[in-house]
């Protein structure tokens, strides 16, 4: 037997494995990218800049992150992949050096009504363990403190084996959960207004039910008759039992036309199909029905805490778990610091670190029982970040979509240090960003453009921040732009009075919001801006509110359908060709019969991911071939929907295609900086900022005197902010009042009146710390906003 001894010594310099220090992208063609090739350094902070629609998200999210996620998903079994989102391979020639991508985006956190800030992070789980160890009286395991786990009791016979004999013994089983049995852990109970469910003077066949989707023409009619209801008997003639069966009957198997179905009382069905979801996630007409028909009141048994009486009776230092979760996180961190228990020292240290991370990231004003569906996009993104700050993962790629959204300049400094902290742990950090303060900390910059849509999609600059400053790109030219304080401000024509506002953290606030001017509300995140506006102003008559909530549309929705633009276009086509307008709708008579007007065919492969293929019949155009023979101004309907807003604006302005109604809507879309969007682009592909500006364009036509905008600069490039300010000026000059919740210093400097809330966040905020003109705010420098605005405009 021979033995071998190693004589090779460690090679000098780098190991081959250490040489892979770049992510290489070659020939990316996702969306509007034009054969883009870039080299991104690993373990560095790279910021992607460029005007809205230049292709930043297509490169970062649609190419790099999408391929990383797709490759990881493919390592799972086909069965598991069936439960994952479908990811097709991005259009790119080569991707090299990818690492695991963790996407921290602005999508609002899940629509589960039981999800809270505490359950979405590890805070709640850690607190439950803490209470199960220390709380008195001791009531059980951590499950006994969870409002998501019901109490289960069972009894029966069990088989016991002893030696070679088996014997049946009686046994009982108890598992104590923390869920309040009355409200099932929701914190509120629902009460139905029966008059909003049905018109009792009508019978079922006459359409007595006024619930969305309950038409008697389809399956519902068959189910009700199959369940034995007299379809022609008015509901006010029903016996008590018949009415009870209609409303509350437990699921019962029935047979209709030889098919096995289940009948269930309509109130039980509504509770499962509508009330188990977050109200904000419902379609608008369903949401309107829920708000009309159902009243939610705080659960009398648990007082809204969601917990059982046992869980509420168990306390540490006089506080139960509901008291602790309702505390502001900064206060809770101090309370945890005061617990000196060696038996749970590691748990306390971990909880302490987690709660301090909330404060570091600027979310110390939240409480753990805050429903996660009520967080803004920026707050959701920062809550997701909490998970990663304490993570032991390294050498992964973190992808952020405008992490500074919703942050006051004071908070942006903290966010920057967190991004650098992630990088210093050895991670690659990719950030899509517009704010100069965040661009300034980058190790590497990739600037896309030069324009938006078809005018973008190329790399204009790659290099350092100083190199970007010296380059002649739009971002480079505007990077050091600083707004000037307005010389003269408009005078108010009246005022909106607010008296004693106390929503959320507001401390009995009195304010007079001036009308006929551009009024900006500002203050650190959590200071009470949204509480003041949405709690005291937004629901008044004559208000047009344009917030950041998502546009809910199907895969078929696009800017043309959302803004009502398709209506005048279809009528113009119909008039020019002497046919019905319905022919020019891909959701109606003109739809391609093969793909039903979707343009793509979805093939369901059972347990594997659904495959999406372009329809061969219409080649993705969505219309029947015969419809495409009809033209207006030499273009067919598919060609018109493929135009950008800017092209279509020119096309419908004059000549044979002149359509003033369409031109007016297109003008508004161009006004809000969406000239690059194509009319037929699915709404699901738009960014958060684009969706908000689309809402602004659609709602500018509404009859309202006061426009309320929630951070309209979201997703806007430095160069586009000027256009937005021009649009706001035009609105004010046309006699409207504009109220803007905003952190961008350029908007503050342009305001006629500023209301600054603070001085801090949560219970340290909720007061008005300044009211007046921007010039006075800068001159006084009495608030955080004043200091940052003075620095921004370069005041001496």
């Amino acid at each position: 037997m021979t033995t071998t001894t190693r004589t090779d010594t460690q090679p000098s310099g780098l190991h081959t494995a250490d040489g892979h220090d770049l992510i290489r992208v070659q020939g990316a063609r996702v969306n509007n990218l034009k054969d883009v090739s870039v080299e991104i350094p690993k373990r560095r902070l790279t910021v992607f800049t460029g005007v809205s629609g230049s292709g930043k998200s297509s490169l970062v999210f649609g190419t790099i992150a999408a391929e990383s996620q797709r490759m990881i998903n493919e390592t799972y079994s086909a069965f598991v992949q069936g439960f994952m989102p479908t990811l097709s391979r991005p259009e790119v020639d080569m991707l090299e050096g990818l690492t695991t991508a963790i996407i921290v985006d602005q999508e609002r956190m899940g629509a589960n009504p039981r999800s809270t800030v505490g359950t979405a992070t590890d805070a709640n789980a850690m607190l439950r363990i803490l209470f199960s160890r220390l709380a008195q009286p001791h009531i059980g395991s951590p499950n006994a403190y969870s409002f998501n786990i019901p109490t289960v009791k069972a009894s029966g016979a069990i088989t016991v084996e002893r030696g070679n004999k088996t014997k049946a013994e009686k046994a009982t089983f108890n598992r104590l959960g923390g869920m309040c049995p009355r409200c099932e852990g929701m914190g509120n109970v629902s009460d139905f207004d029966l008059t909003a469910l049905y018109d009792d003077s009508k019978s079922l066949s006459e359409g007595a039910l006024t619930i969305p989707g309950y038409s008697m023409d389809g399956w519902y009619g068959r189910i009700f008759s199959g369940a034995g209801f007299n379809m022609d008997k008015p509901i006010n003639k029903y016996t008590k039992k018949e009415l009870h069966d209609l409303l509350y009957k437990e699921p019962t198997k029935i047979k209709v036309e030889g098919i096995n179905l289940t009948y269930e009382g309509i109130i039980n069905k509504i509770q499962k199909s509508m009330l188990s979801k977050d109200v904000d996630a419902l379609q608008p007409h369903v949401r309107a029905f829920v708000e009309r028909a159902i009243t939610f009141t705080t659960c009398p048994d648990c007082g809204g805490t969601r917990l059982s009486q046992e869980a509420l009776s168990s306390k540490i230092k006089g506080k139960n778990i509901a008291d602790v979760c309702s505390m502001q996180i900064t206060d809770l961190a101090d309370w945890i610091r005061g617990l000196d228990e060696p038996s749970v020292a590691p748990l306390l240290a971990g909880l302490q670190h987690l709660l301090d991370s909330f404060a570091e990231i600027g979310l110390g004003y939240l409480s753990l029982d805050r429903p996660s569906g009520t967080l803004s996009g920026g707050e959701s993104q920062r809550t997701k970040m909490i998970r990663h700050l304490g993570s032991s993962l390294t050498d992964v790629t973190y992808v952020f979509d405008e992490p500074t959204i919703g942050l006051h300049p004071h908070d942006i400094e903290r966010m920057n240090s967190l991004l650098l902290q992630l990088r210093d742990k050895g991670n690659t950090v990719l950030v899509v960003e517009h704010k100069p303060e965040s661009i300034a900390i980058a190790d590497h910059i990739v600037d896309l453009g030069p324009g938006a849509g078809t005018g973008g999609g190329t790399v204009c600059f790659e290099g350092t921040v100083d190199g970007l400053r010296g380059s002649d790109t739009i971002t480079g030219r505007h990077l050091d732009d600083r707004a000037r304080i307005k010389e003269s401000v408009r005078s108010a024509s009246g005022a909106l009075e607010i008296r004693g506002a106390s929503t959320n953290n507001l401390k009995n606030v009195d304010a007079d919001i001036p009308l006929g001017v551009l009024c900006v509300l500002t203050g650190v995140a959590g200071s009470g801006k949204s509480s003041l506006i949405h709690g005291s102003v937004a629901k008044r008559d004559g208000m047009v509110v344009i917030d950041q909530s998502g546009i809910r549309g199907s895969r078929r929705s696009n800017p043309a359908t959302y803004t009502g633009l398709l209506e005048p276009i279809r009528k113009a086509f119909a008039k020019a060709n002497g046919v019905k307008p319905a022919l020019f709708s891909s959701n109606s008579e003109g739809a391609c019969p093969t793909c039903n007007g979707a343009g793509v065919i979805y093939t369901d492969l059972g347990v594997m991911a659904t495959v999406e293929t372009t329809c061969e019949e219409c080649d993705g155009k969505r219309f029947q071939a015969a419809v495409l023979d009809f033209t207006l101004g030499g273009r067919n309907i598919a060609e018109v929907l493929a135009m950008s807003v800017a092209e279509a604006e020119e096309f419908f302005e004059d000549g044979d295609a002149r359509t003033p109604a369409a031109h007016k809507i297109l003008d508004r879309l161009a006004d809000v900086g969406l000239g690059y969007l194509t009319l037929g682009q699915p709404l699901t592909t738009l960014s958060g900022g684009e969706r908000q500006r689309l809402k602004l364009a659609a709602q500018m036509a509404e009859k309202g005197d006061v426009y309320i905008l929630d951070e309209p600069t979201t997703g806007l490039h430095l160069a586009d902010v000027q256009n937005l300010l021009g649009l706001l000026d035009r609105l004010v000059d046309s006699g409207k009042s504009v109220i803007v919740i905003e952190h961008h210093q350029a908007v503050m400097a342009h305001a006629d009146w500023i209301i600054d809330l603070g001085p801090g966040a949560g219970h340290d905020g909720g007061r008005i710390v300044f009211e007046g003109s921007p010039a006075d705010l800068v001159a006084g420098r009495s608030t955080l906003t004043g200091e940052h605005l003075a620095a921004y405009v370069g005041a001496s």
Side-chain angles (χ1 to χ4, degrees):
M1 180 181 162
T2 58
T3 56
T4 55
T5 50
R6 290 189 57 177
T7 54
D8 57 309
T9 53
Q10 190 66 24
S12 60
L14 278 176
H15 190 286
T16 317
D18 297 327
H20 302 283
D21 53 2
L22 290 172
I23 295 175
R24 289 191 180 84
V25 181
Q26 276 183 17
R29 295 178 299 282
V30 173
N31 297 333
N32 66 334
L33 296 178
K34 297 177 180 137
D35 258 332
V36 165
S37 297
V38 288
E39 291 191 342
I40 301 160
K42 283 189 185 175
R43 293 172 286 281
R44 295 290 181 274
L45 174 64
T46 301
V47 173
F48 294 78
T49 59
V51 296
S52 301
S54 59
K56 305 181 297 296
S57 295
S58 298
L59 177 59
V60 180
F61 292 94
T63 306
I64 298 169
E67 180 62 357
S68 169
Q69 287 214 309
R70 187 186 73 85
M71 293 175 87
I72 288 166
N73 287 2
E74 284 190 351
T75 63
Y76 297 109
S77 67
F79 175 74
V80 174
Q81 284 182 49
F83 299 100
M84 291 179 162
T86 311
L87 297 169
S88 54
R89 188 181 188 282
E91 265 194 87
V92 59
D93 293 338
M94 188 188 76
L95 276 170
E96 239 181 32
L98 286 181
T99 70
T100 305
I102 294 174
I103 297 174
V104 188
D105 58 16
Q106 294 163 32
E107 285 304 312
R108 301 243 169 161
M109 290 173 80
N112 183 341
R114 286 208 184 90
S115 174
T116 64
V117 170
T119 59
T121 56
D122 288 332
N124 222 286
M126 292 164 94
L127 275 175
R128 294 203 307 267
I129 297 169
L130 184 70
F131 269 79
S132 70
R133 301 282 168 82
L134 301 182
Q136 292 299 325
H138 175 76
I139 59 167
S141 72
N143 287 346
Y145 298 93
S146 170
F147 57 75
N148 284 331
I149 297 176
T151 296
V152 177
K153 293 177 182 170
S155 61
I158 58 170
T159 306
V160 181
E161 289 188 20
R162 287 199 184 96
N164 57 359
K165 292 180 181 173
T166 59
K167 183 182 170 190
E169 286 183 10
K170 195 165 186 257
T172 57
F173 165 78
N174 264 339
R175 184 190 71 189
L176 186 64
M179 179 187 284
C180 167
R182 175 141 181 200
C183 65
E184 296 184 8
M186 296 292 217
N188 54 45
V189 285
S190 53
D191 197 13
F192 285 80
D193 174 4
L194 298 182
T195 60
L197 301 184
Y198 55 78
D199 177 349
D200 68 358
S201 65
K202 292 181 179 174
S203 66
L204 289 173
S205 58
E206 288 169 340
L209 298 183
T210 51
I211 307 161
Y214 278 64
S215 159
M216 292 299 121
D217 300 336
W219 273 105
Y220 274 118
R222 298 181 199 180
I223 289 171
F224 282 115
S225 61
F229 290 101
N230 182 341
M231 301 298 286
D232 299 317
K233 182 178 180 179
I235 290 181
N236 57 18
K237 299 276 195 302
Y238 275 28
T239 64
K240 271 188 179 172
K241 183 177 185 315
E242 284 173 330
L243 191 58
H244 181 272
D245 286 353
L246 179 71
L247 298 175
Y248 302 105
K249 190 163 182 146
E250 291 299 311
T252 310
K253 295 267 185 290
I254 59 170
K255 207 166 193 136
V256 178
E257 297 169 20
I259 299 166
N260 290 325
L261 294 169
T262 301
Y263 171 75
E264 186 174 8
I266 54 180
I267 283 184
N268 298 358
K269 203 155 176 65
I270 289 171
Q271 280 176 322
K272 286 178 187 170
S273 64
M274 296 178 191
L275 303 192
S276 62
K277 298 186 179 117
D278 180 16
V279 176
D280 290 334
L282 298 170
Q283 290 174 292
H285 69 290
V286 179
R287 187 164 73 241
F289 163 75
V290 168
E291 285 166 357
R292 187 175 70 245
I294 299 150
T295 52
F296 295 98
T297 49
T298 302
C299 173
D301 285 11
C302 67
T305 59
R306 306 166 174 236
L307 290 158
S308 65
Q309 291 309 308
E310 290 88 348
L312 295 174
S313 69
S314 181
K315 298 180 178 181
I316 299 175
K317 284 194 170 178
K319 290 191 182 295
N320 61 36
I321 194 164
D323 298 332
V324 168
C325 287
S326 64
M327 289 166 86
Q328 186 167 307
I329 286 172
T330 47
D331 295 345
L332 176 55
D334 292 340
W335 185 77
I336 294 288
R337 238 175 243 118
L339 296 179
D340 182 22
E341 292 288 344
S343 63
V344 286
L347 177 64
L348 288 172
L351 193 52
Q352 191 66 62
H353 179 267
L354 179 67
L355 296 172
D356 288 343
S357 298
F358 271 102
E360 270 177 49
I361 210 164
L363 292 177
Y365 59 89
L366 296 177
S367 61
L368 295 180
D369 64 1
R370 168 96 174 252
S372 53
T374 64
L375 299 180
S376 69
E379 285 170 336
S380 298
Q381 189 177 24
R382 299 200 296 285
T383 303
K384 290 173 196 169
M385 250 185 114
I386 300 277
R387 294 180 201 158
H388 306 304
L389 289 173
S391 166
S392 46
L393 285 174
T394 60
D395 248 332
V396 295
T397 302
Y398 283 100
V399 187
F400 290 95
D401 186 7
E402 285 190 70
T404 58
I405 276 185
L407 286 185
H408 186 272
H410 169 70
D411 298 315
I412 290 177
E413 293 169 11
R414 289 151 97 178
M415 174 58 77
N416 284 350
S417 69
L418 291 169
L419 293 172
L420 294 171
Q421 204 178 309
L422 279 174
R423 177 203 66 186
D424 294 346
K425 277 172 67 177
N427 298 307
T428 307
V429 182
L430 308 181
V431 183
V432 173
E433 192 50 90
H434 293 292
K435 293 266 170 73
E437 301 97 318
S438 292
I439 294 172
I441 63 163
D443 301 309
H444 187 71
I445 300 268
V446 177
D447 188 29
L448 285 110
T454 50
T458 59
V459 175
C460 303
F461 171 82
E462 259 192 285
T464 61
V465 179
D466 289 336
L468 178 67
R469 267 199 185 90
S471 71
D472 195 33
T473 67
I474 293 182
T475 310
R477 288 199 299 273
H478 289 275
L479 194 58
D480 293 317
D481 274 7
R482 293 295 178 264
R484 286 205 310 277
I485 296 285
K486 257 184 177 171
E487 299 293 323
S488 61
V489 294
R490 302 178 183 94
S491 301
S493 59
L496 272 176
E497 286 188 8
I498 298 172
R499 294 291 176 265
S502 53
T503 309
N504 298 333
N505 66 331
L506 295 177
K507 298 181 172 68
N508 241 6
V509 168
D510 294 342
D512 291 325
I513 297 178
L515 295 173
V517 298
L518 174 59
C519 174
V520 170
L521 261 89
T522 186
V524 295
S527 59
K529 305 178 297 297
S530 298
S531 299
L532 183 64
I533 290 300
H534 294 295
S536 304
V537 180
K539 292 187 173 66
R540 298 185 188 184
D541 288 341
M543 305 288 153
V544 178
V545 182
I546 299 150
D547 60 13
Q548 295 197 0
S549 60
I551 291 173
R552 287 181 186 85
S554 67
R555 292 184 282 212
R556 293 166 176 267
S557 306
N558 55 44
T561 58
Y562 181 75
T563 56
L565 172 64
L566 202 56
E567 197 63 27
I569 291 177
R570 281 178 10 216
K571 284 180 178 164
F573 265 96
K575 192 175 174 186
N577 295 286
V579 290
K580 287 196 298 189
L583 274 178
F584 302 99
S585 166
S586 61
N587 294 331
S588 186
E589 292 180 27
C592 161
T594 309
C595 62
N596 291 327
V600 288
I601 291 171
Y602 301 98
T603 312
D604 188 5
L605 299 178
V607 294
M608 290 196 290
T610 303
V611 175
E612 195 178 295
T613 48
T614 304
C615 172
E616 290 179 10
E617 176 81 18
C618 65
D619 200 20
K621 290 177 180 164
R622 305 169 63 169
F623 292 91
Q624 297 172 21
V627 173
L628 301 182
D629 293 339
F630 299 118
T631 60
L632 175 69
R635 303 283 188 98
N636 65 35
I637 185 74
E639 287 167 338
V640 166
L641 289 174
M643 287 180 181
S644 69
V645 167
E647 284 174 76
E649 197 180 9
E650 217 171 281
F651 178 72
F652 288 110
E653 191 170 14
D654 46 36
D656 296 340
R658 187 172 178 274
T659 312
H663 190 260
K664 200 171 171 183
I665 296 171
L666 289 161
D667 257 352
R668 291 205 298 269
L669 284 166
D671 265 350
V672 295
L674 295 177
Y676 58 90
L677 282 189
T678 56
L679 305 187
Q681 182 175 336
L683 289 189
T684 47
T685 63
L686 301 188
S687 69
E690 285 169 338
R691 286 199 297 258
Q692 193 185 11
R693 297 201 299 286
L694 185 62
K695 279 165 101 171
L696 176 57
Q699 291 178 290
M700 271 166 63
E702 285 197 15
K703 299 281 181 283
D705 304 316
V706 181
Y707 283 75
I708 297 170
L709 284 79
D710 193 350
E711 288 191 65
T713 58
T714 299
L716 271 188
H717 187 267
L718 301 159
D720 294 327
V721 172
Q722 289 307 319
N723 299 341
L724 178 75
L725 292 174
L727 170 68
L728 298 180
D729 273 344
R730 287 201 296 282
L731 273 173
V732 175
D733 293 339
S734 70
K736 308 285 186 193
S737 303
V738 179
I739 302 168
V740 183
I741 297 173
E742 191 52 87
H743 294 289
H744 202 295
Q745 294 100 319
V747 181
M748 292 182 211
H750 199 76
D752 298 307
W753 190 259
I754 287 185
I755 297 176
D756 189 11
L757 281 103
H763 60 49
D764 299 327
R767 289 189 289 272
I768 291 178
V769 290
F770 174 84
E771 285 183 276
S773 69
D776 292 343
L777 179 63
V778 168
R781 295 184 203 190
S782 56
T783 69
L784 274 173
T785 308
E787 286 171 28
H788 282 280
L789 186 58
Y792 182 84
V793 298
S796 53

